[in-house]
Amino acid sequence: MSPLTRKLLRDLWRIKGQAIAIGAVIAVGVLMLVMMTGLVASLEETRRAYYERYRLADVFAPVTRAPGHRAEDLGRLPGVAAVETRITGAALIDLGRDRLPIQARAVSLPDLRAPRLNAIHLTDGRMLQGGRNDEVVVLNSFARAVGLHPGDRLTATMNGFRRELRIVGLAQAPEFLYTTPPGELVPDDARFAVLWLNQSALEAVFDMEGAFNEALLSLTRDARRAEVIAAADRLLDRHGGLGAYPLHDLGSNRFISEEINGLKTSTAIVPPVFLAVAAFLLHIVISRMVQAEREQIGLLKAFGYTDWEVGGHYFRMILTIATGGALAGCVLGIVAGRAMVDLYLYFYKFPFLVFRLDPSSFLTGFVVSILSASAGGALVLRRVFALTPAVAMRPPAPPDYSRSGRFRGLAARFLDQPTRMVLRRLTRQPLRMAGAVVGIASGIALSAAMASILDSFDEMMDLTFGVMDRSDMSVTFTQPIEARSVLDLAAIDGVIEVEPVRMVPAILRHGRDSYRGAIHGLRAEPRLYRAVDKAQRPLYLRGDGITLSRGLANELGVRAGQVLTLEVREGRRPRVDIPVIAVAETLLGSPAYMELDALNRALKEPLRVSGAYLRVDPARADRIHARLKDMPMVAGVSLKAQARASLARVMDQGAGGTRYVMALIAAVITFGVIYNAARVAQAERARDLASLRVLGFTRAEVAYVLLGELAVVTLLALPLGGLMGWGLSFVISRGYSTDIYQIPPLFSAESYGWAMLVVLLAALVSGALVKRDIDRADLVAALKTRE
Amino acid sequence: MGNAFTTRDLRKVYGEGPAAVHALRGVDLEIPEGEIVVLLGPSGSGKSTLLNILGGLDRATDGQVFFRDSELSAMSDAELTRYRRDHVGFVFQFYNLMPSLTAQENVELVTEIARNPLSPEEALALVGLEARADHFPAQLSGGEQQRVAIARAVAKQPDVLFCDEPTGALDSVTGRAVLHVLRDVNRKLGATVMIVTHAAAQAAIAHRVIRFADGAVQSVTVNETPASPEEIEW
Ligand SMILES: Nc1ncnc2c1ncn2[C@@H]1O[C@H](COP(=O)(O)OP(=O)(O)O)[C@@H](O)[C@H]1O
Ligand SMILES: [Mg+2]
């Protein structure tokens, strides 16, 4: 082994604490990169495989009632590979025992054969027997959530018929990975069910003998999807086509895509932050080492080592730390990825999981960590090159403090010597001090931004469930009914306030952009469910246009004053052009609002409502539930508290859940940066401090010289870090926002206070650790080694 | 034998303007190969500056310096590095050992890149330190550290050996031992040895004594019968 390699190893051993800390930061960055890209790759691959294996359709074409032979016409369309037709409809499940009725979707399966498209995966029990009209297969996740098993019975009301059904099996299906109750935005296993019944059973219930109300199409590889959809719409139009839509608009698929996108965003943000921090720390540590080893560098050069040989020595140190970190990160990334397989299976509800490690992520991890470490090191190499060999010949020169002020007059009288040492050092090397300030400020910024993101999630909940929706529950009717009927609801004992709503499914188009959603028809001045502006003031809904949520306006690229096309997907399915009159602030979903009467006029269905928001006396909530359950017009009831809870659950799992980990990591990084700053300052001054001790200064005085510096740097970093954190929270909040919910950037004084408290605590702990070392320092050794 | 070094009107100025320090003010010298040369002069007279330039550690501001037939003052940085690597050994006043390497490893640092080195054991034996090969600098006394530094400098069998105040930090016994080693190196390896000192008594061991004052050569004395280190007064 060459002596330079030995020196490298011994030096690494000497700074092992710092080397491990930096390596660990790199390792965590690479770990996240490997694990998260692996997760994204696995999810995408699993989704693809799942969809393929269970023949999920490429196009869904709902229709009011089409004769069965239309299926052959659809099959003849160019680009269509296979067609399946089925019957689906709304169902209401009664679980008895004072429980709220649960909304469900009934879906038909062919009696005597496997479905050509949209097959299901049986997890428990058996499949339906042909011709048995009282058998049902239930969505596995729902059954688990409410405690149903094969052999149990349940009562379902479909199209006004009450049916006693026997559960023969539980199943999963790729089209129902996530199930969202109608009128809500957030999936909830326990509050929405899917029931698979024999086609013959549903034909009878929904009056669909020889007919279907949903066609499923799979496409050939070279098919043009938009053209197939247009052709299908033309074919089905006279049977009440409700608008064919592609797989990527399917609710469940959209939700998974959002999850995957959220993970991708985190993957793009989190690992780079770690690697940047690591590069910064490496730069500080190695440049400090080069500074301390000036004479050794000069000496090597004097012996005839070239600049590159000497620079290479320090560079190898950087590479060793970076490679070690990257290697550990890759290994841990694989281990962590493997360990998470079961978790994914459970959380993402796939029947199987194709675990994929993206091999390019190893390469990316390695290359990126080595590049970023090298960036930190490159600046140092310049210093190595600039050193002349003659420095080795000179006796160690005292650092030049001549430009740092002399403290005359008043200052001289009030500043004791140790304080002067602190101030001189701060002013003598302003760049180095600025570096330390920026480093600590970055730590504060990261912590503060992450802390305020946690608040942003709460803010999103409060705006949605406190300011906008002030009801206690919402009721959905089986079909649009006369507005007067809501009076029946108001008459229930304990209902304080009722507000009608008309929800209409529609496609909104503007230019090339379109969005499938629903329009909320509300009173002009709603009290329970409101649209609000930026200042959270309720918007008055004028009758001459439509109000869009900010997210929807952005997606369609429209501003107030522009005109949209509205294609209603219900009843007479009118198509109307309508001006946008205002943009509302919402953080959940992408709703559109219209004044109720204006909406009904556009639909040519005056005085109709499809549901109502209720404010109730909480003490009488149970009796109200019971009454609602008995009303035939009520299709479903959802409690705001439950909706809120399911949103909280969704945000805590999946991509949103990483916010806690990120916040923790931010705190750890902050601590690392501060601790490193303290260690560097200590190492740079070990000799001075030992000399002071020899001169008779007490330990406390010596510690003051060092820690005073740390204190000043930390205090300077606090305001800067706050400012940087504010900027950072815009980036991070965008990263956490999804199609389903938006996370607003917030400036919450409290979280900034917390972040600063964390920083001060980190500074105190680091200070204490360093002071302990100063107290223990071997004076003779410190003076003998030249640093 | 020819000259190891020739200098012509060598000048060195540190800094600029009114703050400029003229460390060398026109030095003309001829130093034959194979001699022990002692450079004498008061502190601040420019001895180290001259040594650094001859050793290829630093560059002159003006004038020429030749090693044998090659002009050092015309060399690129890479050529100077090559020159130091192939021909020159250094011993410093403050030893300048690598604290993280043992005595033997400090020597290997040089043998590693030399063309025709002694083995590290031989080099350490030359200074009588073979028993301390595995000690770190912090475990050696000042004199021992300086002898390691000499072993390190001679291990590559240099053509010239530069010693800047090699005994400055040593007592008389260890100082004499160090001088002894330097004389052996001159005799056994035939190296030209240049020793900077401000202790006039040490000049007695030299073949040639150059007196230096205020950045210029005052006198050059040739000594036909150099004394042995044991004879000199400390
Ligand atoms: N790097 C430097 N910058 C400025 N002045 C220097 C430097 N090195 C040496 N000097 C000055 O050059 C003069 C000669 O220095 P030096 O050669 O070290 O003297 P000596 O070795 O004879 O004691 C001194 O006045 C010294 O202050
Ligand atoms: Mg000198």
Side-chain angles (χ1 to χ4, degrees):
Chain A
M1 205 188 326
S2 87
L4 272 189
T5 309
R6 289 227 186 97
K7 168 167 157 32
L8 179 78
L9 294 180
R10 296 217 178 98
D11 286 348
L12 275 174
W13 180 250
R14 186 164 51 85
I15 61 160
K16 56 188 176 296
Q18 280 172 317
I20 288 172
I22 295 169
V25 174
I26 294 177
V28 174
V30 174
L31 183 154
M32 302 277 263
L33 186 75
V34 168
M35 196 186 79
M36 288 166 90
T37 50
L39 173 47
V40 169
S42 301
L43 281 179
E44 282 183 329
E45 181 55 24
T46 303
R47 174 170 67 169
R48 197 197 57 71
Y50 191 27
Y51 284 6
E52 187 182 278
R53 201 175 297 177
Y54 291 89
R55 304 186 295 280
L56 188 63
D58 296 311
V59 172
F60 295 71
V63 58
T64 310
R65 186 181 199 283
H69 62 81
R70 274 280 168 250
E72 280 118 71
D73 299 336
L74 285 169
R76 277 193 291 272
L77 291 176
V80 173
V83 181
E84 181 62 275
T85 60
R86 62 185 187 182
I87 300 161
T88 78
L92 206 59
I93 298 175
D94 187 356
L95 290 174
R97 295 164 282 167
D98 314 322
R99 285 159 82 171
L100 276 177
I102 290 165
Q103 306 191 59
R105 184 143 172 240
V107 178
S108 71
L109 290 172
D111 275 44
L112 294 169
R113 59 174 172 89
R116 276 185 288 265
L117 296 174
N118 290 25
I120 64 175
H121 169 80
L122 198 71
T123 55
D124 301 88
R126 61 165 174 84
M127 278 291 188
L128 303 170
Q129 257 170 21
R132 295 295 302 260
N133 285 359
D134 62 339
E135 291 184 358
V136 65
V137 169
V138 178
L139 185 66
N140 175 300
S141 52
F142 166 75
R144 295 261 148 99
V146 299
L148 287 176
H149 307 279
D152 290 352
R153 291 181 175 278
L154 62 77
T155 311
T157 308
M158 295 174 284
N159 200 22
F161 297 99
R162 227 174 133 79
R163 287 273 192 276
E164 279 283 315
L165 300 171
R166 198 157 55 82
I167 300 175
V168 297
L170 306 182
Q172 289 175 307
E175 64 182 308
F176 299 114
L177 277 168
Y178 282 96
T179 48
T180 308
E184 291 187 27
L185 293 152
V186 178
D188 188 341
D189 285 348
R191 291 192 300 121
F192 187 72
V194 177
L195 307 175
W196 284 278
L197 285 93
N198 273 318
Q199 185 146 1
S200 52
L202 291 187
E203 277 182 354
V205 168
F206 288 104
D207 190 22
M208 287 275 171
E209 279 88 358
F212 63 88
N213 66 6
E214 185 173 29
L216 308 168
L217 311 178
S218 73
L219 304 185
T220 57
R221 199 165 291 192
D222 53 353
R224 298 201 183 167
R225 200 169 48 194
E227 283 173 17
V228 173
I229 288 175
D233 278 347
R234 275 195 303 275
L235 256 179
L236 296 174
D237 189 54
R238 85 186 87 137
H239 306 294
L242 296 171
Y245 56 91
L247 172 59
H248 67 75
D249 276 349
L250 182 74
S252 164
N253 186 55
R254 214 143 93 177
F255 198 86
I256 299 226
S257 299
E258 273 311 314
E259 280 290 328
I260 293 177
N261 285 342
L263 284 170
K264 280 184 178 163
T265 313
S266 308
T267 312
I269 292 178
V270 182
V273 167
F274 277 86
L275 296 175
V277 169
F280 177 73
L281 293 180
L282 262 180
H283 172 71
I284 291 184
V285 169
I286 303 293
S287 65
R288 194 220 115 225
M289 184 177 267
V290 166
Q291 179 67 24
E293 295 184 357
R294 296 175 75 234
E295 284 115 26
Q296 299 189 34
I297 293 168
L299 189 76
L300 286 172
K301 289 190 176 185
F303 290 152
Y305 280 89
T306 64
D307 283 351
W308 286 104
E309 282 167 332
V310 181
H313 169 67
Y314 290 93
F315 207 70
R316 273 197 297 167
M317 179 162 301
I318 292 169
L319 285 189
T320 309
I321 296 175
T323 321
L327 208 64
C330 285
V331 172
L332 293 176
I334 297 172
V335 173
R338 286 235 169 271
M340 284 186 74
V341 168
D342 287 343
L343 201 64
Y344 299 171
L345 267 178
Y346 170 77
F347 179 63
Y348 290 98
K349 295 184 218 151
F350 290 113
F352 56 87
L353 196 107
V354 186
F355 185 66
R356 269 282 150 95
L357 281 167
D358 188 351
S360 69
S361 67
F362 294 117
L363 200 68
T364 317
F366 257 97
V367 170
V368 170
S369 46
I370 284 170
L371 279 186
S372 52
S374 306
L379 297 166
V380 178
L381 288 194
R382 272 202 358 232
R383 304 239 311 269
V384 173
F385 285 5
L387 273 175
T388 71
V391 284
M393 295 292 259
R394 281 185 216 124
D400 181 7
Y401 281 90
S402 59
R403 277 179 301 151
S404 62
R406 303 242 177 234
F407 304 118
R408 294 201 178 83
L410 260 187
R413 223 174 312 148
F414 287 107
L415 297 177
D416 56 9
Q417 288 305 328
T419 306
R420 288 182 202 195
M421 288 179 69
V422 171
L423 292 180
R424 286 227 173 88
R425 200 172 134 80
L426 290 172
T427 49
R428 174 184 157 243
Q429 294 179 314
L431 268 185
R432 191 178 297 191
M433 288 304 128
V437 169
V438 171
I440 294 179
S442 317
I444 298 172
L446 207 58
S447 295
M450 277 319 297
S452 63
I453 288 298
L454 295 186
D455 280 1
S456 295
F457 274 78
D458 295 342
E459 162 77 9
M460 185 248 147
M461 293 285 245
D462 287 345
L463 181 67
T464 305
F465 295 108
V467 179
M468 289 172 54
D469 183 353
R470 301 195 295 178
S471 71
D472 296 312
M473 58 176 76
S474 64
V475 173
T476 316
F477 302 135
T478 47
Q479 60 198 43
I481 58 169
E482 294 226 16
R484 273 186 282 120
S485 311
V486 298
L487 293 178
D488 295 351
L489 298 177
I492 299 174
D493 186 29
V495 172
I496 300 168
E497 208 172 343
V498 176
E499 189 170 284
V501 60
R502 171 107 202 240
M503 295 273 254
V504 182
I507 300 176
L508 289 79
R509 288 189 200 280
H510 177 250
R512 282 159 170 260
D513 299 311
S514 67
Y515 180 83
R516 287 181 79 90
I519 297 173
H520 290 60
L522 301 169
R523 281 181 182 155
E525 278 182 282
R527 290 172 41 80
L528 296 184
Y529 192 87
R530 316 179 299 171
V532 298
D533 66 7
K534 268 205 171 96
Q536 307 199 348
R537 280 182 310 242
L539 287 168
Y540 177 86
L541 298 174
R542 281 182 359 229
D544 56 348
I546 189 167
T547 299
L548 300 184
S549 58
R550 161 113 17 233
L552 185 49
N554 289 344
E555 192 162 333
L556 294 175
V558 288
R559 277 173 285 115
Q562 293 182 311
V563 177
L564 284 182
T565 306
L566 211 63
E567 289 174 23
V568 176
R569 292 284 134 198
E570 186 184 285
R572 272 180 255 258
R573 294 178 289 138
R575 206 186 144 105
V576 288
D577 288 339
I578 189 165
V580 177
I581 48 174
V583 172
E585 295 302 320
T586 55
L587 298 174
L588 185 63
S590 307
Y593 311 93
M594 278 179 77
E595 198 269 322
L596 182 57
D597 293 333
L599 178 63
N600 279 334
R601 264 199 309 280
L603 294 168
K604 300 200 171 62
E605 292 176 352
L607 299 177
R608 295 264 151 179
V609 297
S610 64
Y613 294 103
L614 270 56
R615 195 153 66 80
V616 302
D617 174 0
R620 273 174 280 189
D622 286 347
R623 251 182 302 156
I624 296 171
H625 295 165
R627 285 277 287 120
L628 286 174
K629 210 165 142 179
D630 290 341
M631 297 176 112
M633 65 184 184
V634 171
V637 178
S638 64
L639 299 185
K640 192 173 76 175
Q642 284 181 347
R644 185 176 182 139
S646 44
L647 179 59
R649 202 160 50 235
V650 163
M651 291 195 310
D652 280 355
Q653 298 165 339
T658 59
R659 68 188 192 274
Y660 297 114
V661 183
M662 291 265 289
L664 189 72
I665 283 169
V668 171
I669 289 187
T670 308
F671 182 84
V673 171
I674 294 175
Y675 175 71
N676 195 63
R679 271 270 171 264
V680 165
Q682 183 209 4
E684 275 173 356
R685 315 204 61 195
R687 231 176 108 83
D688 294 2
L689 300 179
S691 308
L692 284 178
R693 294 272 291 120
V694 172
L695 290 179
F697 281 85
T698 65
R699 287 189 172 143
E701 283 163 336
V702 169
Y704 169 75
V705 170
L706 186 66
L707 301 183
E709 182 184 321
L710 185 63
V712 173
V713 167
T714 306
L715 288 178
L716 286 177
L718 286 177
L720 180 66
L723 215 62
M724 287 164 61
W726 190 55
L728 195 60
S729 62
F730 280 88
V731 179
I732 299 183
S733 66
R734 175 160 302 180
Y736 272 114
S737 296
T738 71
D739 196 17
I740 295 154
Y741 53 81
Q742 280 100 49
I743 298 304
L746 268 192
F747 185 91
S748 103
E750 198 186 309
S751 40
Y752 281 76
W754 272 112
M756 295 189 180
L757 219 64
V758 167
V759 166
L760 289 178
L761 196 75
L764 282 179
V765 173
S766 308
L769 287 174
V770 167
K771 179 164 183 328
R772 202 189 54 175
D773 276 11
I774 295 178
D775 291 351
R776 282 191 192 158
D778 178 349
L779 291 185
V780 179
L783 291 175
K784 203 165 174 182
T785 45
R786 283 179 61 192
E787 260 208 335
Chain B
M1 249 202 251
N3 284 340
F5 291 102
T6 314
T7 70
R8 297 212 189 104
D9 196 24
L10 206 57
R11 292 171 187 276
K12 176 75 181 178
V13 186
Y14 291 110
E16 285 167 31
V21 176
H22 292 263
L24 298 181
R25 301 167 181 269
V27 175
D28 291 287
L29 269 178
E30 293 196 350
I31 296 169
E33 292 230 25
E35 290 194 347
I36 295 181
V37 180
V38 164
L39 206 55
L40 264 183
S43 180
S45 57
K47 306 182 296 291
S48 296
T49 304
L50 178 63
L51 211 66
N52 288 353
I53 292 172
L54 295 179
L57 294 180
D58 209 350
R59 289 172 176 286
T61 314
D62 213 346
Q64 287 175 304
V65 55
F66 292 87
F67 169 68
R68 296 180 181 159
D69 294 329
S70 338
E71 184 179 351
L72 296 181
S73 41
M75 283 185 179
S76 68
D77 278 348
E79 287 166 329
L80 278 182
T81 301
R82 197 76 239 170
Y83 159 67
R84 292 197 301 268
R85 192 170 181 141
D86 293 342
H87 302 287
V88 183
F90 289 101
V91 177
F92 305 91
Q93 177 175 4
F94 298 96
Y95 331 136
N96 284 17
L97 299 179
M98 295 268 170
S100 55
L101 297 181
T102 62
Q104 167 144 354
E105 288 160 0
N106 262 287
V107 178
E108 283 170 3
L109 201 56
V110 169
T111 56
E112 171 108 320
I113 58 168
R115 280 189 305 193
N116 178 28
L118 303 174
S119 77
E121 294 79 10
E122 282 177 278
L124 283 173
L126 216 57
V127 297
L129 275 183
E130 55 273 47
R132 317 297 301 267
D134 289 333
H135 287 60
F136 283 94
Q139 298 168 314
L140 298 171
S141 75
E144 287 167 334
Q145 287 188 53
Q146 189 61 304
R147 275 146 71 197
V148 174
I150 293 172
R152 187 174 62 179
V154 302
K156 69 158 73 156
Q157 309 214 50
D159 298 315
V160 278
L161 182 60
F162 294 103
C163 312
D164 197 350
E165 313 215 10
T167 58
L170 304 178
D171 62 69
S172 61
V173 179
T174 38
R176 279 203 185 91
V178 164
L179 290 181
H180 215 101
V181 170
L182 292 179
R183 198 191 56 173
D184 285 353
V185 168
N186 170 255
R187 284 192 185 158
K188 289 183 189 152
L189 305 179
T192 309
V193 177
M194 279 195 79
I195 303 169
V196 164
T197 178
H198 54 258
Q202 293 178 24
I205 67 161
H207 299 106
R208 187 176 297 257
V209 179
I210 301 170
R211 280 174 209 282
F212 220 71
D214 204 15
V217 177
Q218 271 195 329
S219 67
V220 179
T221 325
V222 176
N223 183 2
E224 298 296 345
T225 52
S228 93
E230 289 75 36
E231 298 167 73
I232 60 175
E233 284 183 34
W234 205 270

